[in-house]
Structures are given as structure tokens and as C-alpha cells.
Amino acid sequence: MELKNEVLGALRYNNQFKNWEDVKKEFNPTPIGYLNKEPIYPFYDALSENLEISPRSISIAAQPVESFIPFHIHNYVEMIIPLVGSCVFESRAGEVTVEENDIIMVGKGLPHKVHPISKESVVVNIVLKATALSFNDLDSMLHSNQGQSVSRLLFSLLETDDHGEEQYSLFEIHNNPKIVNLIYNIIEEYGVNDFQASEILRYQILTLFSLLIRQAYHSNLSMTVTKNQDLNLMSLLIYIEQHYANITLEEMAHHFGFNANYLSSYLKKQTGMTFIKLVHVQRINVAVQYLRYTTLPIDQISLKVGYENPSYFYKIFRKIIGSSPTNFRQENR
């Protein structure tokens, strides 16, 4: 409680009203388009509360209270978190209310704005530039748990400009104490200026992502892709995770009301993997857990994860993992 009060006090000290007309005069931004007849501005520099450009790969700032913010886009990923009160987030998909301690992760190139927040509210913005996390960070987390295809979508916001474009994810935290406490620790660590601060902050962000992956895996995650609002990629990937053993493309397409060829193309475009590769990866990922933590015979594991032919299971396992199930079990028990 003491840390929360300290963090909130510092944020309230820095979230004073900002007049957009004064800011516009100082930076002289040029609109790059219009949404709902309102101009969209390129906000390509992460700014501190006193409007200084932050050179850090991870930066944090409090949103000014009672202040107009126009539609804008970023060339980085942004997390918007109301720590006190709520806020209204608006994009092409419409308006959505973000409740206290919930998180909206905004992809690159998404025109959006946050409506003016009340004087009592505290909303924090966490900026993640392309250099914030390494591909090794992402790769190790993608292969660390059964929620890997869920995490693939989350990290696609960071990996490439194409994958992160025009989408956002709303994580409903339900006041999960681990996630809430970690958010406050991240903000507190951001203010520390020693030689290990940036590394600690990076690991805390990775831990936050892991907790969000787990939360998404066990609950309904709201995902909006504004270029194609008819599809919810997160729902598709979670469906694959939950039905990997006997899933077919035709059945899945029927379940979501899509043409099978269209669904296949959409998955390939959004994840970089075909439908069958997504299924294989999920099956082998589960098989790895059986091999590590049980003594089930390999042919039974093959059946459990969806392969009636053990020889085919061996082939796919070796292709994805790089060794046979037998050798993997011996080396990783």
C-alpha cells in the first residue's frame, strides 16, 4: 500500500492539465489523415510529462488530466493503464471504456485517442519501442508455456510493423493482485537511475507479458483488429489451443462462420504459420509436457495429442523440437 501511494503521488504531481493548442504551437505537427472528420497526428516521439523527448526504449508517463488529446498514431507499442478511475479509448472500431487496472495494448499505426480524464483519475502510458525487447526474449517466452500461440499474437505487436498495425488488445485484469502490484513496481523502477535499472525494468515487462498471457489463456481476451473487425485473432488462436487434438480447418471455419480458405489465409497472414503448422506446434507443445512430467508411453502420448500414427508423431516432433521424443524425455526429465 505504501508503494502504491508513493507511485500515485508522483504520478499526480506530474499529470497536470496540458493545453493542446499550446502543445500544437510548440511541436507544429502536420495531420496525416482524418478520422470522424478529426485530424490524425503522427506522435513518433515518446514524451515525458514536461513534454521532453524520452530516448529510453521503455518510457512511462502520466496522462494529463482534463486535457484534450487528438487522434494520433505511434511507431511504437503503447500500454494505457488507468490506475485510478477509468478512461475512454477511441479508435476506428469505436469507443471502449477501460476500467481501473485493466490494460489496453495499442499496436503501431493505429489511429486512436483517449478522452479527457477526470481530475481524480490517474492514467499511465507505457511506451515500448522496437529496441525494448530482443528477439531472444520473445523466442524464449513463445516456447515457455502452452499459451505460446496466445503470446505470439501479443508479441506480434512488437516484432514487425506489419503484424502490429491497426490493432489493439484489451486485457481485463479483474484486479489480479500479481499483475496490479507488478505494474506499480514497473512504474517505481522506472524512476530508479542506476546501472541495473533498465535491465530490471525489461525483465519486469517480460514478467508482465507472461502474466497477461496466462490471464488471456484462462479468460476471454477482447481483441480488436480495426482493419477487419469481423475476425478476432485471439479467439481463433485460443480455439486452436483448446481443440488441438481433433481440430479440423473446416470445423473451425464452420464454428466461427467463415469460409475455410479465407480462414486459412487469414491465419497465415497474421501469424506467419499455416493452420496445420499452428496445430502441430500446439500438439507438440503439449506432448513436451507429457514427456517431461509423466511416464506415459510415447505411443499413448501420440494418441492424446492427436496423432493416431506414432511414426508420424515422431516425424513431426523431430521436425519441431530437433530430437526424437525418446531422446527429449531422457534429456529433460
Side-chain angles (χ1 to χ4, degrees):
M1 181 63 70
E2 182 178 346
L3 174 61
K4 288 186 178 181
N5 290 335
E6 182 180 331
V7 168
L8 290 175
L11 293 173
R12 290 188 187 280
Y13 181 80
N14 290 305
N15 72 346
Q16 303 305 306
F17 169 81
K18 295 287 190 305
N19 188 314
W20 166 243
E21 294 303 321
D22 293 339
V23 174
K24 190 162 62 170
K25 289 178 183 177
E26 180 174 350
F27 290 93
N28 194 29
T30 301
I32 60 170
Y34 290 84
L35 177 57
N36 300 335
K37 298 182 178 180
E38 296 182 37
I40 303 171
Y41 294 97
F43 287 5
Y44 291 157
D45 291 314
L47 301 178
S48 65
E49 291 92 350
N50 57 7
L51 302 182
E52 293 180 352
I53 295 175
S54 172
R56 300 171 68 172
S57 59
I58 300 173
S59 60
I60 301 175
Q63 180 170 320
V65 298
E66 300 180 318
S67 303
F68 170 78
I69 299 174
F71 280 114
H72 59 280
I73 64 171
H74 303 305
N75 57 357
Y76 48 77
V77 173
E78 180 184 38
M79 289 190 285
I80 302 171
I81 312 171
L83 298 178
V84 177
S86 61
C87 69
V88 176
F89 174 89
E90 184 176 356
S91 69
R92 296 187 195 278
E95 297 179 4
V96 59
T97 299
V98 189
E99 302 296 345
E100 189 167 290
N101 293 323
D102 287 349
I103 300 174
I104 268 200
M105 181 172 288
V106 185
K108 306 167 188 175
L110 174 71
H112 69 283
K113 68 177 180 179
V114 176
H115 293 194
I117 59 175
S118 70
K119 193 172 184 178
E120 294 74 26
S121 298
V122 176
V123 176
V124 68
N125 301 314
I126 302 178
V127 167
L128 304 173
K129 296 180 182 177
T131 55
L133 302 173
S134 71
F135 284 106
N136 286 334
D137 292 331
L138 304 181
D139 184 68
S140 63
M141 295 186 72
L142 284 172
H143 293 85
S144 66
N145 54 68
Q146 289 189 6
Q148 73 154 358
S149 58
V150 174
S151 61
R152 183 173 298 281
L153 175 63
L154 180 62
F155 294 134
S156 72
L157 293 171
L158 298 173
E159 288 177 3
T160 68
D161 291 335
D162 293 336
H163 283 166
E165 189 176 345
E166 294 271 358
Q167 65 183 28
Y168 71 82
S169 304
L170 172 61
F171 295 85
E172 296 179 348
I173 302 307
H174 305 296
N175 289 311
N176 182 316
K178 285 188 177 180
I179 296 177
V180 173
N181 291 335
L182 180 56
I183 291 170
Y184 279 91
N185 285 328
I186 286 171
I187 299 170
E188 188 268 343
E189 188 63 40
Y190 181 73
V192 175
N193 292 309
D194 64 30
F195 73 102
Q196 280 295 317
S198 60
E199 279 299 295
I200 293 173
L201 187 61
R202 183 172 67 89
Y203 285 121
Q204 287 177 328
I205 292 292
L206 288 170
T207 302
L208 175 61
F209 276 21
S210 293
L211 291 173
L212 293 179
I213 292 166
R214 184 165 69 182
Q215 182 95 355
Y217 187 73
H218 293 292
S219 62
N220 292 323
L221 174 64
S222 174
M223 175 75 192
T224 297
V225 181
T226 59
K227 282 187 173 179
N228 188 340
Q229 298 175 36
D230 295 328
L231 285 180
N232 184 320
L233 181 57
M234 182 62 73
S235 296
L236 299 177
L237 296 177
I238 290 176
Y239 187 86
I240 292 173
E241 290 187 353
Q242 294 174 340
H243 301 85
Y244 61 87
N246 53 14
I247 193 172
T248 67
L249 177 62
E250 290 72 20
E251 184 276 330
M252 181 177 173
H254 177 75
H255 176 83
F256 285 97
F258 300 127
N259 174 275
N261 290 335
Y262 178 70
L263 178 60
S264 177
S265 298
Y266 179 82
L267 288 171
K268 173 67 174 178
K269 180 179 179 181
Q270 296 298 321
T271 69
M273 295 196 293
T274 63
F275 166 79
I276 193 61
K277 178 66 179 295
L278 288 168
V279 174
H280 282 320
V281 168
Q282 181 60 24
R283 287 177 174 179
I284 299 304
N285 203 32
V286 176
V288 161
Q289 306 308 314
Y290 279 116
L291 291 168
R292 276 180 173 158
Y293 303 117
T294 77
T295 58
L296 274 177
I298 293 175
D299 60 343
Q300 291 187 27
I301 294 175
S302 173
L303 285 171
K304 278 184 172 293
V305 300
Y307 297 106
E308 295 184 3
N309 185 337
S311 297
Y312 186 58
F313 168 66
Y314 269 77
K315 177 183 177 181
I316 298 299
F317 192 96
R318 182 181 293 277
K319 184 176 181 180
I320 292 176
I321 301 300
S323 67
S324 70
T326 302
N327 290 340
F328 181 87
R329 170 172 267 175
Q330 292 172 349
E331 296 171 358
N332 292 274
R333 289 284 299 188

